[in-house]
Amino acid sequence: MRKKIYDYMKQKEMLRPGMCVLAGFSGGADSTALLQLLWEYGKEQGITVRALHVNHGIRGEESGRDQTFCENFCRERGIPLRVVSADVPGTAKREKIGLEEAGRLVRYGAFERELAEEGVDRVALAHHRNDQAETMLFHLMRGSGLRGLRGMAPVRAPYIRPLLCVTREEIQSWLLERGIGWVEDSTNQKTEYTRNRIRSQVLAPMEEIRPGSAVRMADTAEKLLELEEFLEAELQKELKRSVRRREDGFSVSLAEYERMHTVMKKQVVFRCMECLFGEVRSPESVHEEQVRTLAGGRRGSRVALPGGCFAVLGYGELLLKKGYGGKRTEDAVCCAPGGEYHYRGCDFRLTVEKCEKIGEIPVNRYTKWFDYDRIKNNVVLRTRRPGDYLELSGGGHKKLKDYLIDCKVPREERDGCILLADGSHVIWVVGMRISEGCKVTEETKRILKVQMKENGGTKDGETSY
């Protein structure tokens, strides 16, 4: 087994001389074999080996027993060990997830801190072929895509899985032959944990019906991984062509999306959702199907996704994003001529001038001129409210909502539009149009000039103020 694993590590280019590898070490048979093998391999190849043990705070005295075993094992071999104590039940409650998922979140958080702070090059995990089969079944039952069905990758830098080429039985036999002990986690027998139920109630009967099922499934995972690697290269080309990163998520060009093969549509959506959901939740086929249905629906429609995420069908784009709608974090700002005002990251200056000083009114996007005498109240900078309207030529009104729809402003961005308003009368949708009711005419005597600066820059060639 030792040679098989070392050959597998070299074939997959997991480690190089001079690297430092951190092994996740629970004290169970799998992680004990992994650490022993890495320790021996490191002495041969000039690789530094360290270990990390996470005490999950779940099993009381048994957790203390496991920690003591890990400490003694590492002390005997001179392997540096970091012990991290975590409140997994507290994490599960806070994140509203199960203990199994919370434990995984805590462990990966500990690995990431070690990678960031201690100069570790790789993290070695003790998953083996039986784990691979369980993972495939777990993802299959959830309705995962190809990436889920191919299971765990042997190398997904900085994480490596040297034991994916051997079974649980091989590992335990090797330890017994070497006279190396390990500890058993009693929770491995509890069927309230999903993976335990898969192991005892699904995979075990499969092995009875067809011995070697786990091994053949792991072989299938290898073949699917090759296919997935090819698709990944094609996916990267498609992502570069059709997806734009936003502060709150991703924008997928509808024109490009509609051109894609169905397989690639699914891959693009899955990848965007994976980035949005993060480590806490993996996307499922039902989520992709919801997004695909949305893409053929009515503009402005949306579907809720896990983790406070949304898919929104915009004008020419499919948005996959965190949260929904604009954030109204500032109250309305009352403005007076001669003043300078800051609102939602932008600076505004208001001045009143006599009409004869202006001459012909320029057409600028971020500097506007209004008939000051036709403004009934003090103007304010704010976001939209029910009842807002624009005046049309001839005295008619148009609802602000209808105007924004006509301009194809996405629904979730409408609440973020900055308005200059006189009561419910919107005299300027900043960056867009002004109301006909306050336009400068031949009868105008006083002009209100409103100039906007954004992020310190001056718009429209106006003199900086």
Side-chain angles (χ1 to χ4, degrees), residues 6 35 44 52 70 111 137 144 170 183 195 224 274-275 314 383 393 400 449:
Y6 288 173
L35 186 54
E44 295 176 7
L52 174 71
C70 293
F111 295 146
L137 287 170
S144 177
E170 288 178 279
V183 291
R195 284 187 175 272
L224 289 173
E274 282 175 341
C275 294
T383 52
S393 56
L400 176 65
K449 177 183 177 182

Side-chain angles (χ1 to χ4, degrees), residues 29-98:
D30 309 332
S31 64
T32 299
L34 173 67
L35 186 54
Q36 178 72 26
L37 287 159
L38 286 175
W39 178 60
E40 295 176 9
Y41 188 76
K43 289 190 292 184
E44 295 176 7
Q45 301 293 324
I47 293 166
T48 302
V49 179
R50 301 172 54 186
L52 174 71
H53 176 77
V54 179
N55 188 324
H56 292 75
I58 296 176
R59 294 175 288 121
E61 292 183 4
E62 192 176 288
S63 292
R65 177 209 66 184
D66 294 355
Q67 181 175 323
T68 299
F69 171 84
C70 293
E71 290 169 343
N72 292 337
F73 184 94
C74 291
R75 188 182 303 112
E76 291 169 3
R77 292 159 178 77
I79 301 172
L81 172 69
R82 171 73 64 86
V83 175
V84 174
S85 296
D87 179 14
V88 171
T91 299
K93 184 177 180 180
R94 184 173 61 255
E95 300 293 336
K96 298 179 180 179
I97 54 180

Side-chain angles (χ1 to χ4, degrees), residues 7-283:
D7 288 346
Y8 185 66
M9 291 171 63
K10 290 175 182 176
Q11 176 195 348
K12 301 297 182 182
E13 300 179 343
M14 292 187 180
L15 294 170
R16 298 189 303 274
M19 279 187 166
C20 176
V21 59
L22 177 74
F25 187 32
S26 68
D30 309 332
S31 64
T32 299
L34 173 67
L35 186 54
Q36 178 72 26
L37 287 159
L38 286 175
W39 178 60
E40 295 176 9
Y41 188 76
K43 289 190 292 184
E44 295 176 7
Q45 301 293 324
I47 293 166
T48 302
V49 179
R50 301 172 54 186
L52 174 71
H53 176 77
V54 179
N55 188 324
H56 292 75
I58 296 176
R59 294 175 288 121
E61 292 183 4
E62 192 176 288
S63 292
R65 177 209 66 184
D66 294 355
Q67 181 175 323
T68 299
F69 171 84
C70 293
E71 290 169 343
N72 292 337
F73 184 94
C74 291
R75 188 182 303 112
E76 291 169 3
R77 292 159 178 77
I79 301 172
L81 172 69
R82 171 73 64 86
V83 175
V84 174
S85 296
D87 179 14
V88 171
T91 299
K93 184 177 180 180
R94 184 173 61 255
E95 300 293 336
K96 298 179 180 179
I97 54 180
L99 283 175
E100 196 172 12
E101 208 168 359
R104 180 178 182 276
L105 189 65
V106 165
R107 289 193 299 276
Y108 276 86
F111 295 146
E112 291 296 327
R113 286 190 293 274
E114 290 292 309
L115 285 163
E117 298 174 9
E118 301 295 336
V120 173
D121 299 299
R122 294 287 184 269
V123 173
L125 305 175
H127 300 110
H128 47 69
R129 291 192 129 189
N130 300 75
D131 292 324
Q132 185 74 293
E134 292 165 14
T135 299
M136 292 177 72
L137 287 170
F138 179 64
H139 288 164
L140 181 63
M141 289 188 293
R142 291 180 60 199
S144 177
L146 176 62
R147 201 173 186 197
L149 287 180
R150 59 98 169 122
M152 299 172 284
V155 178
R156 184 73 69 182
Y159 296 96
I160 60 174
R161 295 179 172 88
L163 305 186
L164 279 184
C165 62
V166 295
T167 65
R168 179 182 291 115
E169 291 74 21
E170 288 178 279
I171 291 168
Q172 293 183 359
S173 294
W174 183 80
L175 288 172
L176 290 171
E177 289 170 6
R178 300 285 297 269
I180 300 172
W182 66 87
V183 291
E184 290 287 354
D185 183 344
S186 62
T187 61
N188 286 338
Q189 308 305 318
K190 294 184 177 181
T191 56
E192 58 261 36
Y193 294 110
T194 303
R195 284 187 175 272
N196 293 348
R197 294 180 70 185
I198 292 173
R199 184 180 309 128
S200 63
Q201 299 177 11
V202 180
L203 195 54
M206 288 174 63
E207 288 289 343
E208 291 179 7
I209 297 169
R210 187 68 184 268
S213 292
V215 171
R216 285 188 289 274
M217 289 178 68
D219 289 339
T220 300
E222 286 279 344
K223 296 171 185 175
L224 289 173
L225 178 60
E226 292 178 359
L227 177 59
E228 198 264 340
E229 287 173 347
F230 168 76
L231 285 175
E232 177 66 23
E234 295 301 306
L235 174 60
Q236 289 302 320
K237 298 176 187 176
E238 199 62 76
L239 290 171
K240 185 176 181 180
R241 194 161 39 228
S242 59
V243 178
R244 177 174 57 87
R245 184 111 199 191
R246 294 162 42 110
E247 184 178 350
D248 57 353
F250 300 91
S251 168
V252 182
S253 164
L254 274 178
E256 292 293 334
Y257 179 83
E258 290 166 359
R259 175 193 56 77
M260 296 175 199
H261 187 281
T262 301
V263 169
M264 195 52 65
K265 286 181 180 179
K266 293 178 180 180
Q267 294 298 314
V268 166
V269 170
F270 261 106
R271 181 56 52 85
C272 292
M273 288 194 295
E274 282 175 341
C275 294
L276 278 180
F277 296 174
E279 289 290 337
V280 176
R281 180 70 181 266
S282 298

Side-chain angles (χ1 to χ4, degrees), residues 333-337 349-353 368-381 389 391 419-428 434-441 443-450:
V333 173
C334 186
C335 305
R349 185 183 185 189
L350 283 73
T351 55
V352 172
E353 303 174 2
K368 297 296 180 183
W369 291 261
F370 306 93
D371 188 328
Y372 186 56
D373 294 313
R374 300 183 68 177
I375 296 173
K376 299 177 182 178
N377 307 294
N378 289 330
V379 294
V380 298
L381 288 163
Y389 67 91
E391 279 195 25
L419 310 176
L420 186 69
D422 175 16
S424 294
H425 180 196
V426 177
I427 64 175
W428 183 23
I434 68 172
S435 174
E436 295 286 337
C438 290
K439 274 191 171 181
V440 174
T441 67
E443 300 176 358
T444 300
K445 297 179 180 179
R446 294 185 299 169
I447 289 178
L448 174 67
K449 177 183 177 182
V450 183

